[in-house]
Amino acid sequence: MPAAPAGPGADEAPARSLPGPLVLGVRHHGPGSARAVRAALDAGRPKAVLVEGPPEADALVALAADEEMRPPVALLAHAVDDPGRAAFWPMAEFSPEWVAIRWALAHGAEVRFIDLPATHTLAATDPTWGDEDEAAGQGLRVDPVAELAEAAGYDDAERWWEDVVELRGSTDPFAPFEALAEAMGALREAYGHGGHPRDLVREAYMRIRLRAAQKEFGDDIAVVCGAWHVPALRRRTPVTADRARLKGLPKVKTELTWVPWTHRRLARRSGYGAGIEAPGWYAHLFTASDRPVERWMTKVARLLRDEDLAVSSAHVIEAVRLADTLAVMRGRPLPGLGETTDAVRAVMCDGSDVPLDLIRDRLVVGDVLGTVPAGAPAVPLQRDLERLQRGLRLKPEAHERELELDLRKGTDAARSRLLHRLRLLGVGWGAPVAGRGSTGTFRESWRLCWEPELHVQVAEAGVWGTTVEGAAAAKAESQAVAADDLAAVTALAEQCLLAGLTEALPAVLHALAERAALDSDVVHLAQALPALARSLRYGDVRATDTAALGEVAAGLAERICVGLPPACTGLDTDAAAEMRERVDGVHAALALLTTRPERPGAPDEPDRTNGTAGTAPADGTGAEGTAGTAGAGAEGAAGTAASAGTAACAGAGAEGAAGTAASDGTAACAGAGAEGTVGTAASAETAASDGTAASAGTAASAGTGTGTGAEGTAGAAASDTADTADTADTADTADTADTPGGGLADRWAGVLRRLAGRERVPGVLRGRAARLLLDEGRLGEDEAARLMGLALSPGTPPADAAAWIEGFVGGASGGGLLLVHDERLLGLVDDWLSGVPAEAFTDVLPLLRRTFAGYEAGVRRTLGELVARGPGTAGPAGPAVTTPGFAGTPDQERADGVMPLLHLILGTQGQ
């Protein structure tokens, strides 16, 4: 600290005018204070140095002299029984406390910490430790630097501190501390504890430690503490009064160690109470031996050049001149951070603040990460993590970076398992992000950033085991037993597969099978299936045996296909929106299940997606599932969608051979014995469609079955009543598969057809089902136009029609391009929107705005041009839609006119 806050006259203050120990009041993490402490210690040469900090860390002081110890670092104290209860004491290279510790170790002086022990500090959450005065004084908290700056006529406390401390020099090493102690004494007389009543307890303990050191070393002692505490340490108080303040304080058993810290965590904006605005700038001021402004501008120029910005030596010279000029104009002793920033903005950034954001992040704050020696105490789990980090070459870094992993490589696969295990343990070192390259499952992208708090998270996770793998497995097993939600267990199973926790997987799969068997809520089943499907795919990539998962997934898919249609009826707007997300998730999951590749070398297994149901009688009375497993009934093996012997409609027999999709045996029209062809409905009223899977044991539609029905095993008749109740809208029948042999995908397509055709299903779900069928090629464009025409007919309430549009052409589903390429659908939407009554338009406008706002700008512009041009009469089967200003077909004569020039350019005249 080169100058006294009292003004320039402080430079002539006499050397130590007060008897007793040398009390050096500092500002935490102030480079000026750090330089002044070093000068005062060199001048005073004390035998002992007392530093503000937890006394339990006395045993760790020697590590500060280790060559591997590089600040910023921090003392970490945590409760043994509750590692999450922790506290940090950070120190940077320019922290006065760090400078004092290093000076004492270099000169053979004793070093001791004198602040309140961590055993009491960490017990602060105990109600007995609460001080009623703390709450009462919340509004009276005093910032000493701000108070002194205001008294000096400054409106910026940081600028005042720079002017009187950081940017001034002093010939007397003790004068600045005497002047600052006098200023703090005046503040303490005016404000008392300044809204910090616990400081009185801390200062009582500091005085006790100071007395003990004086008995051993006399007055040949230096105390380095916050300037706010100096008046309290110099004040003479009875020992009994200090001990009385400490009597009865709560305690917790604690452990301490050194951990790496970062400049970013020293910044005030990070939430650190004693933080500073510009740790990178302060580090530069402390380490720059001379010409700090010139050296700073050189750093800025180097950074901007690395970002491909044109910055020359002339820019650096001019920026230095401008900073010096600004300092003179503003009456400052030297250019500060404000002057250098203004000069950089004007000279190097052309007045733009965009490059300044990079400079603030990289230089003014910085991303420096300290290191601690291997001999520092650590929990066994931390040791194992450090071993894995070294072996996998995953160095913890303070700045955020992305890591691309190829799971086909052994090292990358091991890195992936480590990161997933840490996530399961709650150690947030890495977070998965969307990859910029291949979307295959053999690639992963992670965003890594090491924060000091992760040491606390590792300590908390240490209760589960001494190794990362063992701790993750133990926690997974515990969570599987405790979980009562099916989706949570499926997510846990996915995590176990990703993390390679083969030991924990059996327990998780056992819990998963139990939850799946007991849970009858279709929403829960639909929420759980996507995670299972991803797990199966990840199992293929990681060569993990997932046969048990496959059985559970197939069973869930069957139950969803049976129970989803009745679960989608009678939903309100919010429930329908949630159900749409579930439908999308199931659709994507079934796509993974039905396309999952075989693992190399896997034994032959029965096909779980295309099994058939044996033989079905053709007498029209019913069908028995003869070859199915438990719960499959007429559908055959678990996971099949065979439609052998489908139930008849209105008493008419429908014939169908087992495992085939012949046109005889598909959904018969209500009241008729006619044969319906695959993919068509017998009539608009019945809307019977192909591929709809009747549940095992489900009776025929209400009023149509004459004793027909399929016999099935337990668990299949759960939805017959709900399905029957819904047949007032459509004549449901037991449909056959779209393709020979049937399959899970065909059964799902049948479910979507039922959703698309039921009037009692909310519009957003009907529209979404129709869109999924269209995208899969299971719904013709003419049929899609017909469904849209029905949904947008004048008799449909506007709100319901708008919901149908959202489901069919919602922004995230690529519906904008569908409207661009099919003007017939666009015309239907345009005509409907033009006919919406004025009183209903304001109700549907938010829904429509949300739908079309999701389109890309180019798509919205094209749609606007098409609507402005006027409705087209052409659809996909009509004349081609042309861009305004262009003909529908090329002009051959005009095209031939450019051929000679084109041949000349290409050099092909003779060809």
Side-chain angles (χ1 to χ4, degrees), residues 460-472:
E460 287 183 288
V463 300
W464 297 106
T466 58
T467 66
V468 175
E469 181 179 5

Side-chain angles (χ1 to χ4, degrees), residues 35 111 132 139 195 213 254 269-270 301 336 360 412 425 435 437 485 508 536 679 726 840 861 898:
R35 286 193 300 266
V111 183
E132 294 181 358
T254 60
R269 63 184 181 181
S270 70
R360 290 191 186 98
D412 282 358
L425 288 171
D485 180 43
V508 176
L536 289 169
D726 287 329
R861 183 173 57 253
V898 302

Side-chain angles (χ1 to χ4, degrees), residues 269-281:
R269 63 184 181 181
S270 70
Y272 173 43
I276 53 180
E277 297 289 348
W281 166 254

Side-chain angles (χ1 to χ4, degrees), residues 336-355:
L337 181 60
E339 286 69 37
T340 57
T341 300
D342 291 342
V344 168
R345 179 191 291 110
V347 177
M348 298 186 187
C349 302
D350 297 326
S352 173
D353 284 338
V354 175

Side-chain angles (χ1 to χ4, degrees), residues 744-756:
L744 190 56
D746 300 317
R747 288 203 61 186
W748 176 244
V751 172
L752 294 178
R753 286 186 176 276
R754 295 170 70 183
L755 294 179

Side-chain angles (χ1 to χ4, degrees), residues 363-447:
L363 295 181
V364 176
V365 175
D367 50 14
V368 178
L369 176 65
T371 61
V372 298
V379 296
L381 184 62
Q382 179 71 43
R383 296 289 187 210
D384 185 60
L385 175 58
E386 292 172 353
R387 177 185 62 82
L388 293 172
Q389 288 172 335
R390 290 192 298 268
L392 298 176
R393 298 187 296 279
L394 276 177
K395 181 181 178 181
E397 296 176 343
H399 66 273
E400 191 175 272
R401 66 185 181 100
E402 289 196 6
L403 178 67
E404 300 287 339
L405 300 178
D406 186 343
L407 302 182
R408 296 169 295 185
K409 300 178 181 178
T411 300
D412 282 358
R415 290 173 173 174
S416 173
R417 289 192 294 269
L418 173 62
L419 293 173
H420 281 293
R421 289 169 182 173
L422 291 176
R423 276 175 54 82
L424 196 150
L425 288 171
V427 180
W429 180 20
V433 295
R436 293 172 294 181
S438 172
T439 58
T441 54
F442 60 86
R443 289 193 180 276
E444 279 186 351
S445 298
W446 292 81
R447 181 174 291 117

